[in-house]
Amino acid sequence: MPLHMYWGLGLLVPVFCTLLYGYMSRKALEALGYPNASSVWAYFSRFFFSVLLFTLWGMYNIPLPLVYILAYTDKLFRLLRKKESRAKELFLINLTHLTTMALHMILIGIFSLITQSEMYELLQHPFWRILTIGIVLTVNSVVAEMIPRWNIVLEVLRTQSESAEARPFMIFLWFCNAFLLLDSLLCVAKIAWGLLPLFLIGSTVLLEFYLIRFLKHLYAVLKKHYLEEEHYRLIEKLEQQDREAADLRSKSVLDPMTNIFTRRYLADKMESLAAAKESFSFVYIDLDHLKQVNDRDGHHAGDLYLMRFVQEFGSLLRRDDIFSRVGGDEFAVLLPGCEKDAAANRMEDIRRYMTEKSDSCISFSYGIAHVSGNTGDSPEQIFRRADQEMYLDKQARRR
C-alpha cells in the first residue's frame, strides 16, 4: 500500500511539541548534571532529528515500530558522541523511551476503542498520528518541568544509576523496551479482532505496573544506599572539622617553635586556679644572651639556643608545673600549690644547675609573684608583679 503524504498546518504540532519538550527538559538535564547547549545551533541540533522524525510521521504513515526504533537510535547516537559516563545515560534513555512508548500505545488503543476502528486504520489518518504524538510530547514536557523539584530522585539518578543495585533493573528495562517494540506490531497488524486494542492497553498497563513496582523497590534500595553514603560523608566531614578544630586549639595552646604552652593558655590556667581559690606561684623568666647569640651566629643559632633552654629547664620541672613561652626570650612557669620562698629556692637551684653543672651553660633572670587563694588579681596584674621582680633580679645580678 503506497504511503499517502499529508501537508498542512497540523504538522506544526509535532514541531512545536518537540521543541517545547526540548526547552522544558533543559533544567531537568542541568539538574541531572548535563551541561546546557552552548549555542542556539547546539540546542537546535540536539532535537533536529526528533523534529524531523515526528514531522515525517505526521506526513507519512511510517510503520510505528520503525518510528520507535529510529527515535531510540537517535538517542543512542547522541550518547555515543559524548565522553561522559554512558551507564547513567543508558539508564535514563531506556527508562524514558519505555515510558514514552507505553503512553503512546495506550493512547492509540484508547482512541481506537473510542472511534470503533482498527488501530492500523487509525494510524493511517494524519490527525490521529499528530494528536497522539502531540499528547505524549506534552506529557513529557510536564514531567521534565517537575523533575528538578524531586531532590532525592535527582540525587539517586545522578549518583546511583551506575551502582550494582541498578544493574538488574537495567536488564529489566532492556527487556521491557524489546517487549513493547514487539507489542507495537499489533498497532500496525491487520487483525480483525475488536478486543485487540483492549488487549494492547491491558498488557502495556500491566507492564507499566510492574515497572512502577520495580522502580519503587529500586528507589527504596538506592535511597537507603544514598542516605547511608550521606551519613558516612557527614561523619567524615564532622571528623575533619573536629581535626581542624583540634589543630586550631593546639595552635592556640602550644607555641609552634618550642612546643610548650602559650601565654593565652597560661592565663586561662591562672584564672582557673584563682576561681578554684587555689594558691600558686607565678615565675616570670627572661633568658640571658639571646640577642648576642643572634647577632654573632644568626637567628638559626638563636632558635637552637631557645630550644636547648626549653629542653633543659623543662626537664627540671614537676609534672604539675606549667611551662610556657610568653615572648621572644621571655618564659613563665606556673607552680600550683607552691609558696614564694619554695619557688625561689627551686628557681635558684635550677639556675645554679644550668650555669654550673649542665653542659648548656644557659643563665636567666626571674621574678616571682605569689597568689594566695583569696587574691583577686587578674593575670595581667600578676604578670606585671612578676615582671617587676624579674627586673630587680636582673639588676642585682649585674652588680
Side-chain angles (χ1 to χ4, degrees), residues 62-98:
I62 303 173
L64 186 60
L66 180 59
V67 174
Y68 290 157
I69 291 173
L70 290 175
Y72 187 80
T73 304
D74 173 50
K75 295 177 181 178
L76 287 181
F77 180 72
R78 279 185 280 150
L79 168 61
L80 293 175
R81 290 184 300 173
K82 296 183 178 181
K83 297 180 180 180
E84 290 89 356
S85 174
R86 295 176 179 177
K88 181 169 69 172
E89 282 210 9
L90 274 176
F91 182 90
L92 296 173
I93 286 173
N94 279 282
L95 181 60
T96 55
H97 191 71
L98 171 62

Side-chain angles (χ1 to χ4, degrees), residues 308-318 323 350 353-354:
R308 285 199 302 272
F309 169 74
V310 168
Q311 293 172 2
E312 185 77 30
F313 189 92
S315 66
L316 301 173
L317 295 176
R318 303 175 305 177
F323 187 26
I350 292 175
Y353 175 82
M354 293 183 66

Side-chain angles (χ1 to χ4, degrees), residues 27-295:
K27 290 184 179 179
L29 290 173
E30 184 179 357
L32 289 169
Y34 298 103
N36 283 326
S38 57
S39 64
V40 176
W41 170 248
Y43 165 74
F44 181 75
S45 62
R46 179 183 293 176
F47 299 97
F48 173 76
F49 185 82
S50 298
V51 172
L52 180 63
L53 175 63
F54 298 140
T55 303
L56 286 175
W57 193 56
M59 296 172 63
Y60 298 99
N61 184 20
I62 303 173
L64 186 60
L66 180 59
V67 174
Y68 290 157
I69 291 173
L70 290 175
Y72 187 80
T73 304
D74 173 50
K75 295 177 181 178
L76 287 181
F77 180 72
R78 279 185 280 150
L79 168 61
L80 293 175
R81 290 184 300 173
K82 296 183 178 181
K83 297 180 180 180
E84 290 89 356
S85 174
R86 295 176 179 177
K88 181 169 69 172
E89 282 210 9
L90 274 176
F91 182 90
L92 296 173
I93 286 173
N94 279 282
L95 181 60
T96 55
H97 191 71
L98 171 62
T99 54
T100 300
M101 282 196 300
L103 176 59
H104 192 227
M105 284 193 286
I106 289 173
L107 286 174
I108 293 172
I110 290 174
F111 289 140
S112 176
L113 291 174
I114 293 174
T115 60
Q116 296 294 310
S117 60
E118 302 296 338
M119 289 185 291
Y120 73 91
E121 293 177 349
L122 188 80
L123 292 177
Q124 289 178 3
H125 296 278
F127 172 79
W128 295 110
R129 296 198 301 270
I130 292 173
L131 178 62
T132 54
I133 197 64
I135 293 175
V136 169
L137 290 172
T138 302
V139 171
N140 285 348
S141 300
V142 173
V143 173
E145 175 66 19
M146 296 173 62
I147 281 179
R149 304 173 188 174
W150 298 336
N151 295 330
I152 297 181
V153 175
L154 277 175
E155 196 62 33
V156 168
L157 289 175
R158 277 198 298 260
T159 61
Q160 301 301 331
S161 55
E162 303 175 11
S163 63
E165 293 88 347
R167 290 171 189 166
F169 184 69
M170 187 67 184
I171 297 173
F172 178 69
L173 287 179
W174 283 106
F175 168 78
C176 291
N177 274 282
F179 180 82
L180 284 185
L181 185 62
L182 292 175
D183 260 6
S184 67
L185 294 173
L186 298 177
C187 296
V188 297
K190 296 181 180 180
I191 301 176
W193 182 35
L195 296 179
L196 184 60
L198 192 61
F199 171 79
L200 179 67
I201 294 171
S203 63
T204 307
V205 169
L206 183 63
L207 184 64
E208 287 291 287
F209 171 76
Y210 282 111
L211 174 66
I212 292 172
R213 291 293 302 271
F214 211 147
L215 269 174
K216 289 180 66 176
H217 175 71
L218 178 65
Y219 172 76
V221 172
L222 293 184
K223 181 181 177 182
K224 181 180 178 181
H225 184 64
Y226 164 72
L227 291 176
E228 288 177 351
E229 286 190 345
E230 187 70 8
H231 174 70
Y232 291 130
R233 187 185 68 82
L234 290 174
I235 289 179
E236 184 177 351
K237 186 176 180 180
L238 288 173
E239 290 176 348
Q240 177 66 24
Q241 290 177 347
D242 289 342
R243 288 193 294 270
E244 291 175 355
D247 186 50
L248 289 174
R249 287 194 299 269
S250 175
K251 290 179 179 179
S252 66
V253 167
L254 297 179
D255 177 65
M257 189 184 79
T258 60
N259 206 35
I260 61 175
F261 293 114
T262 61
R263 178 178 184 138
R264 177 179 176 181
Y265 178 80
L266 187 68
D268 291 341
K269 293 300 293 184
M270 291 165 65
E271 290 180 347
S272 299
L273 291 173
K277 298 188 181 304
E278 295 183 12
S279 62
F280 59 89
S281 288
F282 176 77
V283 184
Y284 198 88
I285 298 172
D286 183 75
L287 186 60
D288 295 336
H289 310 307
L290 176 63
K291 185 178 184 303
Q292 291 88 331
V293 174
N294 283 330
D295 293 342

Side-chain angles (χ1 to χ4, degrees), residues 327-352:
D329 60 352
E330 297 171 340
F331 297 84
V333 184
L334 193 62
L335 306 174
C338 187
E339 297 297 327
K340 186 173 183 178
D341 291 342
N345 291 333
R346 289 186 58 196
M347 290 301 107
E348 285 295 334
D349 291 341
I350 292 175
R351 183 163 60 184
R352 187 180 306 110

